[in-house]
């Protein structure tokens, strides 16, 4: 396959960026998208040009490190697929492909296609956990959990924190990410004691970071590689309202 | 040096309790006076950092990824073992201990393995309390499955994402301690060297991967939780960033490296599709519960698998191992696949594959039942290969997956450098020569949640009231200069070949000569070749860009430079171990049936290598292994 790439190149956080054109010739349809970029990078190095920086690690769709906007869509054209799992057979010989980093104020570009997603960590830090210190747990089978609840919690917990939801949202909102963690823990009995305070704390930090607000576009759900449902956002909103009314810690 | 494993005396089942009583404690008011540096945020590192933070220590935790949540533990699929015996099927702590020692082909330390089996039950309790969404039965209790050929159902799992869920549990516990101010996290920060002063670990030197800053961190103890070194083979199931640098640099500063030749090849991975291949993807071995493995009877048969009649297929595992069939242990299944490929009966590109066929299972159970069990794996397979495994058999082939070798540690998980600890995959201690399925997650979390937090106080208590070394001390600045020098050298070489080009060449050599099968002849070939390749790397590598910015080629170059040194030690160890055991298969030592033939009389020891500076001449230190509770037998899966 012969492709024409337009790739966002930006030397550093404060540098001006530009779309740069590269010819990617002789690619195999069995390559992953990142392997195609590897081949381009190897050629660039031999030609004396610094390789395109992009984030990646596990390359099997679970670590959440990779992510780029491909032809205007976060993670590219294949549904429920991270960039690293996207393969070139999804494209045609002669295609032109536009590759950009996540675009969101909350995710500043560090270099080329690499962005800073530490705002996600700060949301989790605010309360995305059950406060149970090591050693004090009771026997795991003492608290039965209805299978349906456990399954739904697992659906939410499948989030890989890649940030595609934010990149796809016209408002740059982080509701899908935040709601997935609030729902994962809020659906389980172990998460009940802190359910309302957790929701308030995580939403407060989310709003302090540079994310926008959710106005129900549902673009997030469409690009989520783990198919996290926007139903969890409804759940987040309900828990948040409840927390404002009932949480004894609320002002 | 005389290795002292510090194994507590007394009956095996009482050793850990005795150790916990004998080890010195640090009182709660004094814990906050200590600073512990933890490198790595996988299961072992994150769980250790969280737990030490909860205990009141000051912890600094480092990872090269952009977030602690992305460490490669996240990719573990299948499950985690624990001796809960919830299924009432005869499991017990002793049975898990026994299975693990036997599965490791009698090359693990009994006392460590027993402790691992003991705390396995606490891990499940802890993870459940954190909200890890393990699979459940309709009655609401936890589900189990049998895994990797175990004859009891002791594996807990969260769909095909058990590693992800356990890691997120540990990561969340870690973030809670960050909020509490007990842990300071340094993401995008890679450890490039260890600082040893007056015989003790005093800190580390790191590079900030966003800004390029090289700086030192002083601590009262250093904990390496840096994972395995499978990427020495270039192609493996490890994440692209997984590397040996932290452990290797510690080795060069005095920590012994144990059993480096013990590597695990996982039998069910998606085969290589071309020379651009950047990594290999594992398919959970739970697939072997229902899939049947076969090759065409005739070599070079290029018909489509669905056109090959039953009579012209060889279900070679079922034929050779009637009792265990497709469920033989990983090393046995891997070698059997290689043998078929070597005999010309492999399938797919280059003949490097065998079929894993679900047609029978679909006929027997229906497509829905198979989809419920393996749906996500089938989708993953189709995304990568473009083939639909509901209709055509999967193609699989073995790939490097896990490394049992690692830094030598005593019972307390301390290396031969006082104050330096190694936990999880980065140490050598619990899996012997072969790791059983669903045991890696168990070991990482056992070390981090339950073992290290109990043992590290013993060392710290002996150094109560001592000043930490200032990072302005020459012990630190000398090593910082060393790191800067290495970085500068890599940037200035400006040769003609890329880092990946060298890495692929090294990986292929290691796969051929020190991979699934090793021979004295092949290892000697590799030992002649590696120093030449390493020399060429340092003369001819091309790393563009600067050091005060994001520079991924520079990061890779530093890691590959260390892989070149490790590779030599692996071959030396493999050559020295003139026997076959577990994942280490020497062609000269096999039973008439082609199984690994151990030599317990001469090799029942841990090989702990000491760095002398001359990589061709490391010093071998032996820790003899005593088996008082497990009877040594020849493994048989017939």
């Amino acid at each position: 396959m012969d492709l024409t790439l337009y790739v966002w190149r930006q030397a550093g956080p404060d540098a001006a960026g530009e779309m740069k054109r590269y010819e990617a010739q002789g690619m195999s349809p069995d390559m992953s998208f990142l392997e195609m970029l590897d081949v381009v990078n190897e050629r660039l190095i031999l030609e004396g040009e610094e390789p395109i920086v992009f984030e990646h690690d596990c390359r099997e769709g679970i670590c959440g490190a990779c992510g780029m906007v491909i032809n205007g869509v976060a993670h590219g054209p294949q549904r429920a697929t991270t960039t690293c799992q996207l393969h070139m057979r999804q494209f045609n010989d002669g295609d032109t492909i536009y590759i950009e980093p996540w675009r969101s104020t909350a995710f500043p570009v560090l270099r080329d296609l690499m962005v800073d997603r530490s705002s996600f960590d700060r949301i989790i830090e605010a309360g995305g956990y059950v406060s149970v210190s090591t050693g004090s747990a009771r026997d795991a089978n003492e608290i039965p959990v209805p299978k349906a609840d456990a399954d739904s919690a697992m659906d939410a917990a499948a989030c890989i924190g890649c940030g595609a939801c934010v990149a796809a949202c016209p408002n740059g909102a982080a509701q899908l990410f935040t709601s997935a963690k609030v729902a994962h823990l809020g659906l389980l009995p172990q998460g009940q004691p802190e359910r309302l305070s957790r929701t308030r704390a995580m939403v407060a930090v989310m709003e302090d970071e540079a994310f926008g607000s959710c106005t129900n576009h549902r673009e997030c759900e469409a690009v989520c590689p783990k198919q996290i449902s926007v139903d969890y956002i409804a759940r987040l909103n309900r828990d948040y309202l409840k927390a404002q009314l009932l949480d004894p810690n609320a002002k | 040096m005389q290795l002292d494993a510090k194994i507590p005396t007394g009956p095996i089942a009482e050793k850990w309790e005795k150790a916990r009583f004998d080890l010195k404690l640090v009182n709660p008011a004094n814990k906050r006076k200590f600073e512990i540096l933890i490198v790595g945020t996988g299961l072992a590192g994150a769980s250790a950092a969280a737990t030490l933070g909860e205990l009141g220590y000051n912890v600094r935790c480092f990872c090269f990824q952009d977030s602690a949540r992305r460490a490669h533990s996240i990719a573990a699929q299948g499950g985690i073992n624990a001796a809960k015996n919830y299924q009432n099927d005869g499991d017990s702590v002793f049975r898990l201990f026994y299975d693990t020692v036997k599965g490791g082909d009698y090359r693990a330390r009994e006392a460590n393995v027993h402790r691992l089996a003991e705390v396995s039950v606490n891990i499940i309790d802890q993870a459940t309390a954190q909200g890890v969404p393990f699979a459940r039965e309709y009655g609401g209790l936890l589900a189990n499955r049998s895994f990797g050929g175990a004859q009891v159902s002791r594996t807990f799992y969260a769909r095909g994402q058990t590693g992800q869920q356990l890691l997120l549990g540990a990561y969340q516990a870690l973030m809670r301690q960050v909020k509490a101010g007990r842990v300071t996290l340094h993401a995008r920060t890679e450890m490039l060297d260890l600082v040893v002063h007056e015989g003790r670990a005093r800190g580390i030197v790191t590079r900030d991967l966003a800004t390029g800053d090289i700086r030192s961190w002083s601590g009262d103890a250093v904990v390496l939780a840096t994972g395995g070194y499978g990427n020495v083979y270039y192609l493996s199931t490890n994440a692209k960033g997984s590397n040996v640098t932290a452990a290797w640099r510690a080795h060069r500063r005095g920590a012994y490296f144990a059993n480096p030749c013990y590597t695990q090849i996982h039998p069910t991975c998606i085969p290589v599709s071309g020379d651009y291949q950047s990594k290999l993807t594992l398919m959970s071995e739970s697939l072997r519960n229902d899939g049947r493995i076969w090759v065409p009877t005739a070599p070079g048969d290029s018909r489509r698998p669905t056109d090959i009649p039953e009579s012209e297929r060889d279900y070679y595992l079922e034929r050779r191992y009637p009792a265990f069939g497709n469920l033989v242990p990983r090393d046995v299944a891997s070698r059997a696949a290689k043998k078929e490929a070597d005999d010309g009966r492999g399938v797919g590109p280059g003949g490097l594959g065998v079929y894993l066929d679900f047609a029978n299972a679909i006929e027997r159970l229906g497509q829905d039942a198979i989809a419920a069990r393996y749906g996500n794996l089938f989708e993953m397979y189709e995304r990568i290969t473009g083939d639909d495994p509901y209709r055509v058999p999967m193609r699989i082939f073995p790939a490097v997956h896990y490394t049992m070798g690692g830094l030598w540690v005593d019972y307390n998980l301390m290396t031969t450098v006082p104050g330096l600890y190694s936990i999880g995959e980065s140490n050598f201690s619990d899996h012997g020569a072969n790791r059983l399925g669903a045991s890696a997650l168990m070991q990482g979390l056992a070390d981090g949640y339950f073992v290290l937090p109990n043992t590290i106080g013993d060392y710290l208590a002996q150094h109560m009231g001592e000043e930490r070394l200032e990072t302005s001390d020459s012990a630190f600045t000398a090593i910082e200069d060393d790191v800067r020098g290495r970085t500068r050298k890599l940037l200035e070489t400006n040769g003609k070949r890329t880092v990946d080009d060298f890495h692929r060449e090294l990986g292929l050599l290691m796969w051929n000569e020190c991979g699934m099968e090793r021979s004295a002849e092949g290892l000697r070939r590799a030992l002649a070749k590696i120093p030449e390749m390493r020399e060429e790397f340092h003369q001819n590598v091309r790393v563009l860009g600067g050091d005060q910015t994001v520079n991924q080629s520079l990061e890779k170059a530093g890691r590959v430079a260390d892989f070149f040194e490790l590779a030599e030690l692996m071959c030396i160890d493999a050559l020295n171990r003139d026997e076959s055991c577990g994942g280490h298969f020497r062609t000269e030592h096999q039973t008439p049936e082609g199984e690994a033939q151990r030599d317990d009389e001469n090799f029942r020891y841990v090989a702990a290598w000491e760095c002398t500076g001359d990589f061709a001449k490391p010093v071998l230190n032996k820790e003899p292994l005593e088996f008082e509770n497990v009877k040594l037998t020849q493994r048989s899966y017939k």
Side-chain angles (χ1 to χ4, degrees):
Chain A
M1 300 170 82
D2 295 337
L3 306 160
T4 301
L5 309 180
Y6 286 89
V7 183
W8 183 258
R9 300 302 307 259
Q10 181 176 336
D14 305 317
E18 57 169 343
M19 293 299 280
K20 232 183 136 182
R21 180 184 165 129
Y22 298 97
E23 299 301 328
Q25 276 153 355
M27 299 297 162
S28 156
D30 290 328
M31 285 177 175
S32 72
F33 196 83
L34 299 186
E35 284 168 343
M36 182 273 292
L37 287 178
D38 287 344
V39 172
V40 170
N41 273 342
E42 291 287 286
R43 292 178 190 168
L44 287 181
I45 294 170
L46 294 177
E47 288 162 9
E49 181 173 345
E50 284 189 56
I52 301 158
V53 172
F54 59 90
E55 206 130 31
H56 65 102
D57 201 24
C58 78
R59 295 202 179 192
E60 45 189 275
I62 192 74
C63 76
C66 70
M68 38 192 92
V69 176
I70 300 167
N71 287 341
V73 180
H75 287 307
Q78 193 174 9
R79 275 186 87 89
T81 302
T82 55
T83 302
C84 65
Q85 292 289 283
L86 179 66
H87 280 65
M88 297 313 292
R89 66 181 77 88
Q90 301 294 326
F91 298 87
N92 298 310
D93 186 31
D95 275 359
T96 298
I97 305 176
Y98 291 84
I99 308 171
E100 301 165 83
W102 287 166
R103 293 288 194 200
S104 169
T105 318
F107 294 159
V109 172
L110 292 175
R111 187 162 188 181
D112 296 345
L113 305 172
M114 175 189 274
V115 299
D116 177 358
R117 289 169 288 196
S118 54
S119 44
F120 270 8
D121 287 318
R122 291 189 287 275
I123 292 175
I124 299 297
E125 181 188 330
Y129 39 74
V130 173
S131 297
V132 50
S133 293
T134 307
S136 45
R138 0 199 278 182
D139 185 89
N141 260 351
E142 271 189 30
I143 306 173
V145 181
K147 187 172 188 309
D149 290 350
D151 286 347
S152 184
M154 179 65 216
D155 289 341
C159 169
I160 57 174
C162 64
C165 46
V166 176
C169 177
N171 306 327
Q175 250 78 3
L176 192 65
F177 171 79
T178 306
S179 70
K181 190 48 65 189
V182 163
H184 158 212
L185 298 174
L187 277 159
L188 296 170
Q190 289 83 359
Q192 293 312 308
E194 298 167 289
R195 180 169 166 183
L196 299 183
S197 55
R198 170 188 308 119
T199 307
R200 285 184 59 250
M202 290 178 70
V203 169
V205 169
M206 179 179 83
E207 293 188 336
D208 279 351
E209 296 284 342
F211 296 107
S213 296
C214 173
T215 50
N216 300 317
H217 284 265
R218 304 181 64 161
E219 296 284 340
C220 51
E221 184 185 61
V223 299
C224 175
K226 298 296 151 184
Q227 299 185 290
I228 310 276
S229 164
V230 291
D231 291 355
Y232 294 123
I233 299 181
R235 210 187 140 83
L236 171 71
N237 291 338
R238 195 182 59 200
D239 275 9
Y240 185 68
L241 183 64
K242 223 163 139 185
Q244 294 297 77
L245 297 170
L246 301 178
D247 182 9
N249 301 318
K251 288 196 191 87
Chain B
M1 181 166 121
Q2 188 62 41
L3 287 169
D4 179 5
K6 302 209 174 96
I7 299 167
T9 54
I12 188 108
E14 292 164 25
K15 285 181 194 289
W16 179 226
E17 190 168 341
K18 181 173 184 324
R20 276 179 295 163
F21 183 73
D22 289 344
L23 292 167
K24 292 184 190 64
L25 299 175
V26 177
N27 96 42
N30 284 335
K31 287 197 174 87
R32 64 171 173 268
K33 295 176 184 163
F34 288 108
E35 181 137 322
I36 300 171
L37 308 179
I38 299 183
V39 186
T41 59
L43 287 179
S47 61
T51 305
L52 292 169
E54 289 161 7
L55 286 170
Y57 292 107
N58 293 306
V59 178
R60 279 188 195 279
C61 193
F62 302 82
C63 65
F64 70 77
Q65 297 89 347
D66 71 315
S67 164
R69 66 180 291 153
R70 305 204 201 282
H72 194 54
S73 305
I74 203 146
Q77 297 171 358
I80 177 167
N81 286 329
K84 281 286 197 186
N85 195 30
Y86 281 158
Q87 305 307 321
N88 196 32
D89 57 0
D91 200 11
S92 63
V93 165
F94 195 81
R95 187 178 294 282
L96 176 54
F97 155 72
Y98 197 98
D99 287 355
T100 306
V101 173
K102 179 186 174 200
D105 219 359
Y106 311 99
R107 291 294 177 264
R109 197 188 279 153
E110 272 194 346
N112 287 52
V113 179
H114 197 278
R115 175 178 64 191
L116 175 69
E118 284 174 63
V119 304
S120 68
V121 298
N122 305 113
I123 296 169
I124 301 304
D125 298 341
Q126 183 62 29
T128 303
Q130 290 170 343
V132 170
F134 285 124
R136 288 179 182 268
E137 306 289 356
Y138 283 101
L141 301 182
L142 292 165
N144 291 117
R145 60 184 171 200
S146 154
F147 199 79
Q151 288 172 308
V152 292
S153 291
R154 63 160 74 103
T155 304
F156 295 77
Y157 60 101
R159 296 199 186 137
Q161 292 126 278
T162 317
Q164 179 198 28
Q165 293 309 315
L166 289 169
L167 182 63
L168 292 180
Y171 157 76
Q172 288 163 202
L174 171 65
M175 295 314 283
R176 175 172 162 248
Q177 293 308 304
V178 172
K179 172 100 180 290
R182 308 298 336 162
V183 177
T184 309
L185 251 181
H186 300 274
R188 289 194 201 281
T189 307
E190 180 162 23
M191 170 177 161
L192 293 183
D193 221 327
L194 176 76
V195 178
V196 179
H197 181 61
E198 292 173 346
R200 285 161 50 201
R202 309 302 287 263
I204 61 174
V205 174
T206 60
R207 179 169 183 272
D208 181 320
L209 302 184
T211 64
D213 272 354
I214 286 170
R215 62 163 294 183
S216 296
W217 306 90
S218 177
D220 297 289
V222 176
V223 180
L224 300 188
T226 49
Y229 48 87
N231 273 346
V232 69
Y233 293 93
Y234 187 74
L235 289 180
S236 81
T237 65
N238 284 188
K240 291 296 284 178
S242 300
N243 69 83
V244 78
T245 289
W248 188 255
R249 290 285 144 189
H251 172 60
R252 290 184 52 143
R253 302 275 174 211
Y256 292 3
F257 209 109
N259 302 332
C261 77
Y262 289 168
T263 51
Q264 180 165 80
I265 313 285
H266 195 289
T268 54
C269 301
I270 300 177
V272 171
S273 71
D275 55 11
Y276 48 79
Q277 191 88 26
S278 61
K279 78 151 278 157
L280 297 168
T281 301
L282 181 145
M283 304 294 290
S284 169
E285 71 182 323
S286 61
L287 290 169
R288 289 199 280 147
N289 288 336
D290 286 303
R292 298 179 70 199
I293 294 173
W294 63 275
V295 291
T297 313
D301 189 336
S302 59
R303 284 176 293 174
R304 284 186 308 186
T306 43
D307 293 342
I308 300 176
E310 204 57 30
S311 60
E312 293 173 45
R313 299 175 175 194
D314 180 11
Y315 295 88
Y316 58 89
L317 288 177
E318 297 171 23
R319 172 172 56 80
R320 287 171 57 186
Y321 307 99
F324 279 70
N326 294 297
L327 293 174
V328 292
R330 291 176 174 182
D331 53 333
V332 177
S334 295
R335 273 199 308 280
K338 180 175 187 295
K339 183 174 182 310
E340 298 305 322
D342 288 350
D343 292 349
R345 305 200 294 169
V347 298
L352 294 175
V354 298
Y355 290 123
L356 177 62
D357 196 337
F358 289 86
N360 277 136
I362 290 170
E363 203 172 300
R364 184 163 43 92
L365 304 164
Q367 180 158 334
D368 290 348
I370 294 301
R373 283 181 200 176
Y374 310 112
N376 58 340
L377 295 168
F378 279 31
E379 280 169 31
M380 183 163 90
Y381 182 85
E382 186 171 1
R383 263 198 294 274
I384 293 173
T385 63
D387 289 339
D388 173 6
Y390 292 105
R391 294 188 303 142
V392 291
M394 285 184 178
R395 282 178 298 109
I396 55 164
F397 204 61
V400 175
H401 176 52
Y402 187 90
T403 51
M404 283 74 69
L407 294 177
W408 185 89
V409 289
D410 64 17
Y411 186 74
N412 298 329
L413 305 181
M414 190 152 85
T415 68
T416 50
V417 176
L420 177 70
Y421 290 78
S422 175
I423 61 178
E425 190 179 350
S426 73
N427 74 28
F428 86 102
S429 72
D430 292 5
H431 305 298
N434 176 51
R435 179 176 65 73
L436 290 181
S439 285
L441 303 184
M442 172 171 70
Q443 187 225 340
L445 291 178
D447 287 359
Y449 282 134
F450 297 106
V451 181
L452 181 80
N454 279 289
T455 59
I456 199 168
D458 186 63
Y459 169 80
L460 295 172
Q462 295 169 43
H463 298 285
M464 192 64 230
E466 293 177 16
E467 293 284 311
R468 266 192 296 282
L469 202 60
E470 295 288 335
T471 52
S472 54
D473 190 283
S474 63
F476 277 100
T477 53
I479 290 179
E480 272 183 39
D481 289 345
D482 200 14
V483 169
R484 286 199 185 91
R486 292 204 302 268
T487 305
R488 200 175 322 115
K489 173 83 177 50
L490 288 169
L491 288 168
E492 283 169 0
T493 303
N494 198 24
K496 293 199 164 51
R497 292 177 61 190
T498 66
V499 178
D500 279 1
D501 190 19
F502 280 106
H503 195 176
R504 280 177 201 278
E505 189 188 10
L506 173 69
L508 188 63
L509 178 76
M510 291 299 285
W511 176 249
N512 287 337
E513 309 290 19
C514 193
M516 234 182 304
E517 290 187 357
R518 296 101 189 247
S519 68
E521 196 192 342
L523 290 165
R524 288 204 183 90
R525 267 197 307 270
L527 284 169
K529 196 91 206 288
I530 292 167
E532 287 170 25
M533 286 164 64
R534 187 169 62 220
E535 181 63 21
E536 201 212 328
F537 172 82
H538 287 289
Q539 301 298 328
N540 199 24
V541 72
R542 173 178 284 199
V543 181
L544 301 175
D547 63 349
Q548 295 295 305
T549 170
V550 175
N551 189 336
Q552 294 176 318
S553 299
L554 178 63
E555 295 163 24
K556 279 196 279 194
R559 295 167 190 166
V560 171
D562 291 334
F563 278 135
F564 270 113
E565 295 176 9
L566 167 77
E568 190 165 1
L569 185 65
M570 288 172 71
C571 293
I572 289 172
D573 185 44
L575 186 60
N576 170 70
R577 189 163 286 280
D578 198 11
E579 64 159 352
S580 294
C581 57
H584 170 65
F585 190 84
R586 283 282 297 268
T587 51
E588 304 93 332
H589 301 288
Q590 42 187 313
T591 63
E593 293 93 28
E595 307 303 343
Q597 178 79 60
R598 291 194 322 270
D599 176 356
D600 291 330
E601 198 173 322
N602 294 305
F603 290 96
R604 204 185 60 213
Y605 65 77
V606 176
W609 298 93
E610 183 178 351
C611 186
T612 59
D614 177 356
F615 299 117
K617 295 193 178 62
V619 171
L620 174 62
N621 296 272
K622 297 179 184 177
E623 178 200 340
L625 290 168
E626 305 300 336
F627 293 92
E628 292 163 351
N629 300 277
V630 174
K631 192 166 162 287
L632 273 67
T633 56
Q634 172 70 40
R635 292 189 309 165
S636 172
Y637 296 96
K638 288 233 175 248

